[in-house]
Every structure is written in structure tokens, then in C-alpha cells.
Amino acid sequence: MIGSTTAWWIARIIKGMRFPFQEPGSAETTDKVLQAFGDGASLGLRNAAAARVRQTADALPWHAKAFYYEGHAMGVAGRSAMRLQRYQPERIFDSADFRVMRFVGYGFWNGAGTRYPAPRLRSDDSYWIDCPWYPKYRPLIYNGFGFATVMFRGILDDQARKAIEALPGAEEREAAYHGVGRVLWFLYMNNFQALRTVLDAHPEQAEALGLGLGLAMGFTQASAPDRILQAVDHFRGTQREYLLRGVGIALEVHSSNSDEGRFHIESAIDGELRRRYEQACQASTAAGNGAAWYTQYHGLTRIEAASAPDSLSATSIDHDLQAN
């Protein structure tokens, strides 16, 4: 009963979300993402059978499944946080597919709790003792936390910053700002002047926000790669570099989510996108599987980008010619 009531409440909030600072035409993308996420969250909160969860996912386009499974994990986290089940969320899953999305979804529940009265999912090691991959993916919970903390407010305000700055360590705060960067794309989709203004206004978090923003640009447009570079090319200098690193991470995450995702990504990208994707794949592998994975992964993407030869995308060249 509690799970069903919460599912109804979450669905109502998600359906009521509006993003007035997006450019016209962006709502179609946002609506599809929120629909997939909301459907997953509802099934998670209602404790739907695994067969039904998979059946619903199978009906979705490949690029929408990540949002669906993120939402489902958010719902499962809610059940754990409300003590409707006595074990940590990962115990119900029998596959490593979409594991990154699951941990981001767990954090989404906790971020919602900064805006609405909801208990938080536990993050202490003792609660996750039977999950050997928890130390590796733990920072992703804070990534999801940062996204939801700002999304449910509609702005990166003082309250959101205080919630993030109160997190226990530098890694957790960086991960949270990566999540904030991701939500900026939803709040200001295709409004590039507004996005540049937000990045300029937060120089201390510019890299983390830029990576997150680039990740969201790449992740939401993975089925249309040309649109990714067209979006990135509205930025210059270090901002553009941060975004491209984030794009590479987005493509790597889509690829690592499932064999289906890997097939579609590797079949569709070349040039600059391929280079950034391969850099992110190399960084993820080199970072290992330990508790330092998240920090090492992002550090290695920085090193890979700095050591690679400079290149310009075709859209970047076109943009510069038009400007002159």
C-alpha cells in the first residue's frame, strides 16, 4: 500500500515537471526521458516482478532503457529506504547490465529527499556488506543525489549548494556536481546562452559541471550523434573540452550498460566522438574495480584528453567559418 501510494505521488510530481528555460522543441526529448524514468520508478516502488520489469524494458528503444532502469532503481531504493524490504537494493538484480544506472538511481531517491519528506537510503558499508561492487560504484549515488537535488528545485540555488557542500568528502561533492551538470541540460536544453552563463557563474565547479553537462548532452542524444557535436560546438575553450570529455563518458556508459547499447554506439560513431569514446573506455578499464575507481576514472579521462592530438569536428569548423 505504501509503495503504491508513493508510486502515485512520484508519478504526479514527474508528470507535473516543466522546464520553462528550455528552447522550443526540447520538451519532446525531456518528456520521453521522464516517461521512461517514471515508468521504471513506478514498477520499482510497486515491487513489480522481474519478468514484468524486463518485458516493459524490451518494448523501449535501446537508448531509452537506461532512463527506465535508472527510474526503476530509484523506486527500489525507495522501498529499501522506507523499510518495505529488509535488504539493500542490489540483492534483487541478477545481471550487471545497467549497474551504473542503478547506482545513479539510488542516489536520485536520496536527492528527492532534500526537497520532499522521504527517508534516505542507507550508505554505510555495513548495509551493503553483501554487495562486492558497492565500493566501486558508491560515488554514483552522490551523482544521482546532485541531479535530483537540483531537478526538484528547478535551479541550482543556495539550498542545493548547501546540501551538496554538506556531503562527507571531496569525492562525494565532485560526484554530486557531476550530477548537477547533468540536470543543467534538462533545465536549459538547447538554451546555450543560459548554459554558458551558469558555467561562467561557478568557476570553482566549472570542470565538474561541464563534464556532467557534456554527459547529459551525449546521453540524451546518443541515437542522433550529429546533434551531440552541434550542441557542444556552442562552447569554446576549456568549457568545450570539459563537455567533450563528458560526451565520451556518456557514450562509454551507454556501451557498458548492455551488449545492445555497445552495438548501437559502436555502429554509429566515428571521428571526434569515436576518439572521446575510446578514451573513456580506456580510462574506465585502467581505473580498475576498487574504491578509487570513480576518482581515477575521471582523472584518467583528463590525462587521455590532454595527451591526445588536437582535433576539430566538422561542425566546429563550419561554426568557425560562419562566425567569420
Side-chain angles (χ1 to χ4, degrees), residues 177-212:
Y177 279 117
H178 288 154
V180 174
R182 290 192 300 116
V183 80
L184 292 178
W185 181 235
F186 287 80
L187 297 178
Y188 305 102
M189 189 172 287
N190 295 312
N191 185 345
F192 299 107
Q193 179 58 57
L195 288 166
R196 289 192 296 267
T197 299
V198 174
L199 293 183
D200 288 339
H202 299 87
E204 293 184 1
Q205 290 84 36
E207 181 175 4
L209 294 176
L211 255 67

PDB file of all heavy atoms in Angstrom, residues 177-212:
ATOM      1  N   TYR A 177      28.352  17.311  -8.060  1.00  0.00           N
ATOM      2  CA  TYR A 177      28.375  18.388  -9.062  1.00  0.00           C
ATOM      3  C   TYR A 177      28.363  17.826 -10.479  1.00  0.00           C
ATOM      4  O   TYR A 177      27.860  18.478 -11.410  1.00  0.00           O
ATOM      5  CB  TYR A 177      29.580  19.303  -8.835  1.00  0.00           C
ATOM      6  CG  TYR A 177      29.329  20.318  -7.731  1.00  0.00           C
ATOM      7  CD1 TYR A 177      30.087  20.308  -6.561  1.00  0.00           C
ATOM      8  CD2 TYR A 177      28.324  21.268  -7.847  1.00  0.00           C
ATOM      9  CE1 TYR A 177      29.856  21.234  -5.539  1.00  0.00           C
ATOM     10  CE2 TYR A 177      28.082  22.186  -6.833  1.00  0.00           C
ATOM     11  CZ  TYR A 177      28.844  22.166  -5.686  1.00  0.00           C
ATOM     12  OH  TYR A 177      28.595  23.080  -4.680  1.00  0.00           O
ATOM     13  N   HIS A 178      28.898  16.631 -10.680  1.00  0.00           N
ATOM     14  CA  HIS A 178      28.706  15.980 -11.977  1.00  0.00           C
ATOM     15  C   HIS A 178      27.220  15.789 -12.240  1.00  0.00           C
ATOM     16  O   HIS A 178      26.735  16.002 -13.354  1.00  0.00           O
ATOM     17  CB  HIS A 178      29.398  14.607 -11.988  1.00  0.00           C
ATOM     18  CG  HIS A 178      30.890  14.665 -12.033  1.00  0.00           C
ATOM     19  ND1 HIS A 178      31.696  13.660 -11.548  1.00  0.00           N
ATOM     20  CD2 HIS A 178      31.745  15.609 -12.510  1.00  0.00           C
ATOM     21  CE1 HIS A 178      32.959  13.977 -11.711  1.00  0.00           C
ATOM     22  NE2 HIS A 178      33.014  15.166 -12.301  1.00  0.00           N
ATOM     23  N   GLY A 179      26.476  15.370 -11.205  1.00  0.00           N
ATOM     24  CA  GLY A 179      25.033  15.211 -11.347  1.00  0.00           C
ATOM     25  C   GLY A 179      24.326  16.523 -11.602  1.00  0.00           C
ATOM     26  O   GLY A 179      23.377  16.591 -12.394  1.00  0.00           O
ATOM     27  N   VAL A 180      24.787  17.589 -10.954  1.00  0.00           N
ATOM     28  CA  VAL A 180      24.197  18.912 -11.195  1.00  0.00           C
ATOM     29  C   VAL A 180      24.432  19.325 -12.645  1.00  0.00           C
ATOM     30  O   VAL A 180      23.526  19.869 -13.308  1.00  0.00           O
ATOM     31  CB  VAL A 180      24.794  19.958 -10.238  1.00  0.00           C
ATOM     32  CG1 VAL A 180      24.294  21.356 -10.596  1.00  0.00           C
ATOM     33  CG2 VAL A 180      24.433  19.626  -8.789  1.00  0.00           C
ATOM     34  N   GLY A 181      25.625  19.063 -13.155  1.00  0.00           N
ATOM     35  CA  GLY A 181      25.898  19.383 -14.551  1.00  0.00           C
ATOM     36  C   GLY A 181      24.942  18.659 -15.487  1.00  0.00           C
ATOM     37  O   GLY A 181      24.463  19.228 -16.478  1.00  0.00           O
ATOM     38  N   ARG A 182      24.630  17.418 -15.162  1.00  0.00           N
ATOM     39  CA  ARG A 182      23.693  16.662 -15.994  1.00  0.00           C
ATOM     40  C   ARG A 182      22.313  17.299 -16.000  1.00  0.00           C
ATOM     41  O   ARG A 182      21.658  17.414 -17.045  1.00  0.00           O
ATOM     42  CB  ARG A 182      23.594  15.209 -15.490  1.00  0.00           C
ATOM     43  CG  ARG A 182      24.841  14.382 -15.739  1.00  0.00           C
ATOM     44  CD  ARG A 182      24.593  12.890 -15.498  1.00  0.00           C
ATOM     45  NE  ARG A 182      24.167  12.585 -14.151  1.00  0.00           N
ATOM     46  CZ  ARG A 182      22.980  12.080 -13.831  1.00  0.00           C
ATOM     47  NH1 ARG A 182      22.068  11.860 -14.777  1.00  0.00           N
ATOM     48  NH2 ARG A 182      22.676  11.803 -12.573  1.00  0.00           N
ATOM     49  N   VAL A 183      21.856  17.718 -14.834  1.00  0.00           N
ATOM     50  CA  VAL A 183      20.493  18.268 -14.779  1.00  0.00           C
ATOM     51  C   VAL A 183      20.406  19.632 -15.447  1.00  0.00           C
ATOM     52  O   VAL A 183      19.328  20.046 -15.891  1.00  0.00           O
ATOM     53  CB  VAL A 183      19.990  18.333 -13.319  1.00  0.00           C
ATOM     54  CG1 VAL A 183      20.539  19.535 -12.582  1.00  0.00           C
ATOM     55  CG2 VAL A 183      18.468  18.352 -13.278  1.00  0.00           C
ATOM     56  N   LEU A 184      21.526  20.339 -15.567  1.00  0.00           N
ATOM     57  CA  LEU A 184      21.504  21.626 -16.269  1.00  0.00           C
ATOM     58  C   LEU A 184      20.997  21.465 -17.705  1.00  0.00           C
ATOM     59  O   LEU A 184      20.301  22.342 -18.228  1.00  0.00           O
ATOM     60  CB  LEU A 184      22.899  22.256 -16.285  1.00  0.00           C
ATOM     61  CG  LEU A 184      23.452  22.738 -14.947  1.00  0.00           C
ATOM     62  CD1 LEU A 184      24.868  23.295 -15.139  1.00  0.00           C
ATOM     63  CD2 LEU A 184      22.555  23.794 -14.314  1.00  0.00           C
ATOM     64  N   TRP A 185      21.344  20.339 -18.322  1.00  0.00           N
ATOM     65  CA  TRP A 185      20.887  20.102 -19.692  1.00  0.00           C
ATOM     66  C   TRP A 185      19.371  19.965 -19.745  1.00  0.00           C
ATOM     67  O   TRP A 185      18.721  20.410 -20.691  1.00  0.00           O
ATOM     68  CB  TRP A 185      21.566  18.859 -20.252  1.00  0.00           C
ATOM     69  CG  TRP A 185      21.225  18.497 -21.660  1.00  0.00           C
ATOM     70  CD1 TRP A 185      20.733  17.312 -22.113  1.00  0.00           C
ATOM     71  CD2 TRP A 185      21.372  19.315 -22.837  1.00  0.00           C
ATOM     72  NE1 TRP A 185      20.561  17.326 -23.467  1.00  0.00           N
ATOM     73  CE2 TRP A 185      20.951  18.554 -23.947  1.00  0.00           C
ATOM     74  CE3 TRP A 185      21.827  20.616 -23.055  1.00  0.00           C
ATOM     75  CZ2 TRP A 185      20.957  19.043 -25.257  1.00  0.00           C
ATOM     76  CZ3 TRP A 185      21.832  21.108 -24.352  1.00  0.00           C
ATOM     77  CH2 TRP A 185      21.405  20.334 -25.437  1.00  0.00           C
ATOM     78  N   PHE A 186      18.777  19.377 -18.725  1.00  0.00           N
ATOM     79  CA  PHE A 186      17.321  19.251 -18.696  1.00  0.00           C
ATOM     80  C   PHE A 186      16.664  20.605 -18.409  1.00  0.00           C
ATOM     81  O   PHE A 186      15.647  20.938 -19.001  1.00  0.00           O
ATOM     82  CB  PHE A 186      16.905  18.225 -17.634  1.00  0.00           C
ATOM     83  CG  PHE A 186      17.202  16.810 -18.039  1.00  0.00           C
ATOM     84  CD1 PHE A 186      18.477  16.296 -17.920  1.00  0.00           C
ATOM     85  CD2 PHE A 186      16.211  16.000 -18.552  1.00  0.00           C
ATOM     86  CE1 PHE A 186      18.760  14.994 -18.307  1.00  0.00           C
ATOM     87  CE2 PHE A 186      16.474  14.696 -18.941  1.00  0.00           C
ATOM     88  CZ  PHE A 186      17.765  14.196 -18.817  1.00  0.00           C
ATOM     89  N   LEU A 187      17.262  21.373 -17.529  1.00  0.00           N
ATOM     90  CA  LEU A 187      16.673  22.667 -17.172  1.00  0.00           C
ATOM     91  C   LEU A 187      16.780  23.682 -18.302  1.00  0.00           C
ATOM     92  O   LEU A 187      15.879  24.518 -18.481  1.00  0.00           O
ATOM     93  CB  LEU A 187      17.366  23.224 -15.929  1.00  0.00           C
ATOM     94  CG  LEU A 187      17.244  22.406 -14.639  1.00  0.00           C
ATOM     95  CD1 LEU A 187      18.028  23.082 -13.508  1.00  0.00           C
ATOM     96  CD2 LEU A 187      15.786  22.228 -14.244  1.00  0.00           C
ATOM     97  N   TYR A 188      17.879  23.617 -19.070  1.00  0.00           N
ATOM     98  CA  TYR A 188      18.149  24.645 -20.095  1.00  0.00           C
ATOM     99  C   TYR A 188      18.435  24.005 -21.456  1.00  0.00           C
ATOM    100  O   TYR A 188      19.253  24.517 -22.218  1.00  0.00           O
ATOM    101  CB  TYR A 188      19.347  25.494 -19.681  1.00  0.00           C
ATOM    102  CG  TYR A 188      19.229  26.127 -18.320  1.00  0.00           C
ATOM    103  CD1 TYR A 188      19.899  25.593 -17.219  1.00  0.00           C
ATOM    104  CD2 TYR A 188      18.460  27.272 -18.115  1.00  0.00           C
ATOM    105  CE1 TYR A 188      19.803  26.176 -15.955  1.00  0.00           C
ATOM    106  CE2 TYR A 188      18.360  27.863 -16.866  1.00  0.00           C
ATOM    107  CZ  TYR A 188      19.026  27.308 -15.795  1.00  0.00           C
ATOM    108  OH  TYR A 188      18.937  27.885 -14.547  1.00  0.00           O
ATOM    109  N   MET A 189      17.786  22.939 -21.797  1.00  0.00           N
ATOM    110  CA  MET A 189      18.106  22.199 -23.016  1.00  0.00           C
ATOM    111  C   MET A 189      18.081  23.093 -24.250  1.00  0.00           C
ATOM    112  O   MET A 189      17.103  23.791 -24.517  1.00  0.00           O
ATOM    113  CB  MET A 189      17.132  21.031 -23.193  1.00  0.00           C
ATOM    114  CG  MET A 189      17.520  20.076 -24.307  1.00  0.00           C
ATOM    115  SD  MET A 189      16.476  18.577 -24.326  1.00  0.00           S
ATOM    116  CE  MET A 189      17.097  17.700 -22.879  1.00  0.00           C
ATOM    117  N   ASN A 190      19.213  23.109 -24.939  1.00  0.00           N
ATOM    118  CA  ASN A 190      19.417  23.880 -26.173  1.00  0.00           C
ATOM    119  C   ASN A 190      19.418  25.399 -25.961  1.00  0.00           C
ATOM    120  O   ASN A 190      19.542  26.157 -26.932  1.00  0.00           O
ATOM    121  CB  ASN A 190      18.381  23.512 -27.238  1.00  0.00           C
ATOM    122  CG  ASN A 190      18.534  22.073 -27.691  1.00  0.00           C
ATOM    123  OD1 ASN A 190      19.645  21.627 -27.993  1.00  0.00           O
ATOM    124  ND2 ASN A 190      17.444  21.332 -27.716  1.00  0.00           N
ATOM    125  N   ASN A 191      19.324  25.857 -24.722  1.00  0.00           N
ATOM    126  CA  ASN A 191      19.445  27.285 -24.412  1.00  0.00           C
ATOM    127  C   ASN A 191      20.911  27.532 -24.057  1.00  0.00           C
ATOM    128  O   ASN A 191      21.292  27.625 -22.890  1.00  0.00           O
ATOM    129  CB  ASN A 191      18.532  27.638 -23.238  1.00  0.00           C
ATOM    130  CG  ASN A 191      18.512  29.132 -22.945  1.00  0.00           C
ATOM    131  OD1 ASN A 191      19.363  29.886 -23.423  1.00  0.00           O
ATOM    132  ND2 ASN A 191      17.552  29.560 -22.147  1.00  0.00           N
ATOM    133  N   PHE A 192      21.736  27.637 -25.074  1.00  0.00           N
ATOM    134  CA  PHE A 192      23.182  27.611 -24.875  1.00  0.00           C
ATOM    135  C   PHE A 192      23.711  28.865 -24.195  1.00  0.00           C
ATOM    136  O   PHE A 192      24.694  28.807 -23.444  1.00  0.00           O
ATOM    137  CB  PHE A 192      23.877  27.369 -26.220  1.00  0.00           C
ATOM    138  CG  PHE A 192      23.488  26.054 -26.834  1.00  0.00           C
ATOM    139  CD1 PHE A 192      22.644  26.011 -27.939  1.00  0.00           C
ATOM    140  CD2 PHE A 192      23.908  24.863 -26.276  1.00  0.00           C
ATOM    141  CE1 PHE A 192      22.255  24.799 -28.491  1.00  0.00           C
ATOM    142  CE2 PHE A 192      23.531  23.634 -26.821  1.00  0.00           C
ATOM    143  CZ  PHE A 192      22.695  23.606 -27.934  1.00  0.00           C
ATOM    144  N   GLN A 193      23.063  29.977 -24.409  1.00  0.00           N
ATOM    145  CA  GLN A 193      23.478  31.193 -23.706  1.00  0.00           C
ATOM    146  C   GLN A 193      23.285  31.028 -22.203  1.00  0.00           C
ATOM    147  O   GLN A 193      24.163  31.371 -21.411  1.00  0.00           O
ATOM    148  CB  GLN A 193      22.667  32.393 -24.208  1.00  0.00           C
ATOM    149  CG  GLN A 193      23.014  33.711 -23.506  1.00  0.00           C
ATOM    150  CD  GLN A 193      24.481  34.075 -23.641  1.00  0.00           C
ATOM    151  OE1 GLN A 193      25.002  34.188 -24.752  1.00  0.00           O
ATOM    152  NE2 GLN A 193      25.183  34.243 -22.512  1.00  0.00           N
ATOM    153  N   ALA A 194      22.145  30.487 -21.804  1.00  0.00           N
ATOM    154  CA  ALA A 194      21.888  30.263 -20.382  1.00  0.00           C
ATOM    155  C   ALA A 194      22.877  29.265 -19.799  1.00  0.00           C
ATOM    156  O   ALA A 194      23.374  29.445 -18.676  1.00  0.00           O
ATOM    157  CB  ALA A 194      20.458  29.773 -20.176  1.00  0.00           C
ATOM    158  N   LEU A 195      23.195  28.215 -20.529  1.00  0.00           N
ATOM    159  CA  LEU A 195      24.139  27.206 -20.047  1.00  0.00           C
ATOM    160  C   LEU A 195      25.531  27.795 -19.874  1.00  0.00           C
ATOM    161  O   LEU A 195      26.213  27.528 -18.870  1.00  0.00           O
ATOM    162  CB  LEU A 195      24.173  26.020 -21.010  1.00  0.00           C
ATOM    163  CG  LEU A 195      22.932  25.127 -20.986  1.00  0.00           C
ATOM    164  CD1 LEU A 195      22.908  24.198 -22.188  1.00  0.00           C
ATOM    165  CD2 LEU A 195      22.872  24.331 -19.688  1.00  0.00           C
ATOM    166  N   ARG A 196      25.972  28.609 -20.830  1.00  0.00           N
ATOM    167  CA  ARG A 196      27.295  29.245 -20.695  1.00  0.00           C
ATOM    168  C   ARG A 196      27.311  30.175 -19.488  1.00  0.00           C
ATOM    169  O   ARG A 196      28.314  30.252 -18.754  1.00  0.00           O
ATOM    170  CB  ARG A 196      27.648  30.009 -21.976  1.00  0.00           C
ATOM    171  CG  ARG A 196      27.964  29.120 -23.171  1.00  0.00           C
ATOM    172  CD  ARG A 196      28.591  29.917 -24.317  1.00  0.00           C
ATOM    173  NE  ARG A 196      27.676  30.921 -24.853  1.00  0.00           N
ATOM    174  CZ  ARG A 196      26.856  30.738 -25.886  1.00  0.00           C
ATOM    175  NH1 ARG A 196      26.828  29.554 -26.503  1.00  0.00           N
ATOM    176  NH2 ARG A 196      26.073  31.699 -26.321  1.00  0.00           N
ATOM    177  N   THR A 197      26.210  30.852 -19.264  1.00  0.00           N
ATOM    178  CA  THR A 197      26.123  31.772 -18.126  1.00  0.00           C
ATOM    179  C   THR A 197      26.249  31.020 -16.802  1.00  0.00           C
ATOM    180  O   THR A 197      26.950  31.458 -15.884  1.00  0.00           O
ATOM    181  CB  THR A 197      24.803  32.551 -18.161  1.00  0.00           C
ATOM    182  OG1 THR A 197      24.756  33.330 -19.368  1.00  0.00           O
ATOM    183  CG2 THR A 197      24.676  33.477 -16.967  1.00  0.00           C
ATOM    184  N   VAL A 198      25.575  29.876 -16.700  1.00  0.00           N
ATOM    185  CA  VAL A 198      25.652  29.090 -15.464  1.00  0.00           C
ATOM    186  C   VAL A 198      27.069  28.588 -15.240  1.00  0.00           C
ATOM    187  O   VAL A 198      27.600  28.656 -14.122  1.00  0.00           O
ATOM    188  CB  VAL A 198      24.666  27.901 -15.508  1.00  0.00           C
ATOM    189  CG1 VAL A 198      24.865  27.005 -14.286  1.00  0.00           C
ATOM    190  CG2 VAL A 198      23.235  28.398 -15.554  1.00  0.00           C
ATOM    191  N   LEU A 199      27.712  28.093 -16.278  1.00  0.00           N
ATOM    192  CA  LEU A 199      29.095  27.616 -16.129  1.00  0.00           C
ATOM    193  C   LEU A 199      30.026  28.751 -15.732  1.00  0.00           C
ATOM    194  O   LEU A 199      30.895  28.592 -14.856  1.00  0.00           O
ATOM    195  CB  LEU A 199      29.573  26.972 -17.431  1.00  0.00           C
ATOM    196  CG  LEU A 199      28.895  25.670 -17.856  1.00  0.00           C
ATOM    197  CD1 LEU A 199      29.533  25.132 -19.125  1.00  0.00           C
ATOM    198  CD2 LEU A 199      28.947  24.624 -16.759  1.00  0.00           C
ATOM    199  N   ASP A 200      29.850  29.910 -16.340  1.00  0.00           N
ATOM    200  CA  ASP A 200      30.689  31.069 -16.011  1.00  0.00           C
ATOM    201  C   ASP A 200      30.485  31.516 -14.566  1.00  0.00           C
ATOM    202  O   ASP A 200      31.409  32.026 -13.923  1.00  0.00           O
ATOM    203  CB  ASP A 200      30.373  32.234 -16.950  1.00  0.00           C
ATOM    204  CG  ASP A 200      30.886  32.009 -18.361  1.00  0.00           C
ATOM    205  OD1 ASP A 200      31.802  31.178 -18.542  1.00  0.00           O
ATOM    206  OD2 ASP A 200      30.362  32.656 -19.294  1.00  0.00           O
ATOM    207  N   ALA A 201      29.282  31.323 -14.050  1.00  0.00           N
ATOM    208  CA  ALA A 201      28.951  31.792 -12.706  1.00  0.00           C
ATOM    209  C   ALA A 201      29.490  30.878 -11.609  1.00  0.00           C
ATOM    210  O   ALA A 201      29.452  31.249 -10.432  1.00  0.00           O
ATOM    211  CB  ALA A 201      27.434  31.923 -12.558  1.00  0.00           C
ATOM    212  N   HIS A 202      30.006  29.710 -11.977  1.00  0.00           N
ATOM    213  CA  HIS A 202      30.500  28.756 -10.986  1.00  0.00           C
ATOM    214  C   HIS A 202      31.897  28.262 -11.383  1.00  0.00           C
ATOM    215  O   HIS A 202      32.090  27.076 -11.686  1.00  0.00           O
ATOM    216  CB  HIS A 202      29.535  27.573 -10.849  1.00  0.00           C
ATOM    217  CG  HIS A 202      28.171  27.965 -10.387  1.00  0.00           C
ATOM    218  ND1 HIS A 202      27.179  28.364 -11.259  1.00  0.00           N
ATOM    219  CD2 HIS A 202      27.637  28.029  -9.144  1.00  0.00           C
ATOM    220  CE1 HIS A 202      26.095  28.654 -10.569  1.00  0.00           C
ATOM    221  NE2 HIS A 202      26.352  28.467  -9.281  1.00  0.00           N
ATOM    222  N   PRO A 203      32.880  29.162 -11.378  1.00  0.00           N
ATOM    223  CA  PRO A 203      34.223  28.779 -11.841  1.00  0.00           C
ATOM    224  C   PRO A 203      34.867  27.665 -11.024  1.00  0.00           C
ATOM    225  O   PRO A 203      35.622  26.859 -11.570  1.00  0.00           O
ATOM    226  CB  PRO A 203      35.013  30.088 -11.740  1.00  0.00           C
ATOM    227  CG  PRO A 203      34.253  30.917 -10.741  1.00  0.00           C
ATOM    228  CD  PRO A 203      32.826  30.565 -10.943  1.00  0.00           C
ATOM    229  N   GLU A 204      34.584  27.601  -9.738  1.00  0.00           N
ATOM    230  CA  GLU A 204      35.203  26.566  -8.909  1.00  0.00           C
ATOM    231  C   GLU A 204      34.675  25.175  -9.253  1.00  0.00           C
ATOM    232  O   GLU A 204      35.375  24.172  -9.046  1.00  0.00           O
ATOM    233  CB  GLU A 204      34.958  26.862  -7.426  1.00  0.00           C
ATOM    234  CG  GLU A 204      35.664  28.113  -6.929  1.00  0.00           C
ATOM    235  CD  GLU A 204      35.464  28.318  -5.440  1.00  0.00           C
ATOM    236  OE1 GLU A 204      34.792  27.481  -4.812  1.00  0.00           O
ATOM    237  OE2 GLU A 204      35.985  29.317  -4.908  1.00  0.00           O
ATOM    238  N   GLN A 205      33.461  25.094  -9.755  1.00  0.00           N
ATOM    239  CA  GLN A 205      32.887  23.801 -10.129  1.00  0.00           C
ATOM    240  C   GLN A 205      32.779  23.648 -11.646  1.00  0.00           C
ATOM    241  O   GLN A 205      32.095  22.744 -12.139  1.00  0.00           O
ATOM    242  CB  GLN A 205      31.488  23.644  -9.519  1.00  0.00           C
ATOM    243  CG  GLN A 205      31.461  23.462  -8.025  1.00  0.00           C
ATOM    244  CD  GLN A 205      31.513  24.778  -7.269  1.00  0.00           C
ATOM    245  OE1 GLN A 205      30.949  25.766  -7.714  1.00  0.00           O
ATOM    246  NE2 GLN A 205      32.197  24.797  -6.129  1.00  0.00           N
ATOM    247  N   ALA A 206      33.473  24.504 -12.399  1.00  0.00           N
ATOM    248  CA  ALA A 206      33.296  24.530 -13.854  1.00  0.00           C
ATOM    249  C   ALA A 206      33.607  23.184 -14.500  1.00  0.00           C
ATOM    250  O   ALA A 206      32.876  22.738 -15.396  1.00  0.00           O
ATOM    251  CB  ALA A 206      34.167  25.625 -14.467  1.00  0.00           C
ATOM    252  N   GLU A 207      34.666  22.526 -14.056  1.00  0.00           N
ATOM    253  CA  GLU A 207      35.023  21.246 -14.671  1.00  0.00           C
ATOM    254  C   GLU A 207      33.974  20.184 -14.374  1.00  0.00           C
ATOM    255  O   GLU A 207      33.512  19.483 -15.276  1.00  0.00           O
ATOM    256  CB  GLU A 207      36.389  20.773 -14.179  1.00  0.00           C
ATOM    257  CG  GLU A 207      36.817  19.449 -14.814  1.00  0.00           C
ATOM    258  CD  GLU A 207      38.225  19.026 -14.415  1.00  0.00           C
ATOM    259  OE1 GLU A 207      38.855  19.716 -13.587  1.00  0.00           O
ATOM    260  OE2 GLU A 207      38.692  17.986 -14.932  1.00  0.00           O
ATOM    261  N   ALA A 208      33.587  20.049 -13.108  1.00  0.00           N
ATOM    262  CA  ALA A 208      32.594  19.041 -12.742  1.00  0.00           C
ATOM    263  C   ALA A 208      31.256  19.305 -13.432  1.00  0.00           C
ATOM    264  O   ALA A 208      30.616  18.380 -13.959  1.00  0.00           O
ATOM    265  CB  ALA A 208      32.413  19.012 -11.230  1.00  0.00           C
ATOM    266  N   LEU A 209      30.819  20.560 -13.450  1.00  0.00           N
ATOM    267  CA  LEU A 209      29.559  20.899 -14.110  1.00  0.00           C
ATOM    268  C   LEU A 209      29.650  20.674 -15.619  1.00  0.00           C
ATOM    269  O   LEU A 209      28.706  20.163 -16.235  1.00  0.00           O
ATOM    270  CB  LEU A 209      29.189  22.354 -13.819  1.00  0.00           C
ATOM    271  CG  LEU A 209      28.861  22.709 -12.369  1.00  0.00           C
ATOM    272  CD1 LEU A 209      28.603  24.205 -12.239  1.00  0.00           C
ATOM    273  CD2 LEU A 209      27.655  21.924 -11.871  1.00  0.00           C
ATOM    274  N   GLY A 210      30.785  21.032 -16.205  1.00  0.00           N
ATOM    275  CA  GLY A 210      30.968  20.849 -17.642  1.00  0.00           C
ATOM    276  C   GLY A 210      30.960  19.380 -18.036  1.00  0.00           C
ATOM    277  O   GLY A 210      30.355  18.995 -19.051  1.00  0.00           O
ATOM    278  N   LEU A 211      31.631  18.541 -17.248  1.00  0.00           N
ATOM    279  CA  LEU A 211      31.606  17.106 -17.527  1.00  0.00           C
ATOM    280  C   LEU A 211      30.187  16.563 -17.458  1.00  0.00           C
ATOM    281  O   LEU A 211      29.758  15.796 -18.330  1.00  0.00           O
ATOM    282  CB  LEU A 211      32.500  16.366 -16.523  1.00  0.00           C
ATOM    283  CG  LEU A 211      33.858  15.875 -17.054  1.00  0.00           C
ATOM    284  CD1 LEU A 211      34.754  17.069 -17.388  1.00  0.00           C
ATOM    285  CD2 LEU A 211      34.540  14.976 -16.048  1.00  0.00           C
ATOM    286  N   GLY A 212      29.464  16.959 -16.420  1.00  0.00           N
ATOM    287  CA  GLY A 212      28.100  16.482 -16.284  1.00  0.00           C
ATOM    288  C   GLY A 212      27.208  16.962 -17.416  1.00  0.00           C
ATOM    289  O   GLY A 212      26.378  16.210 -17.942  1.00  0.00           O
TER     290      GLY A 212
END
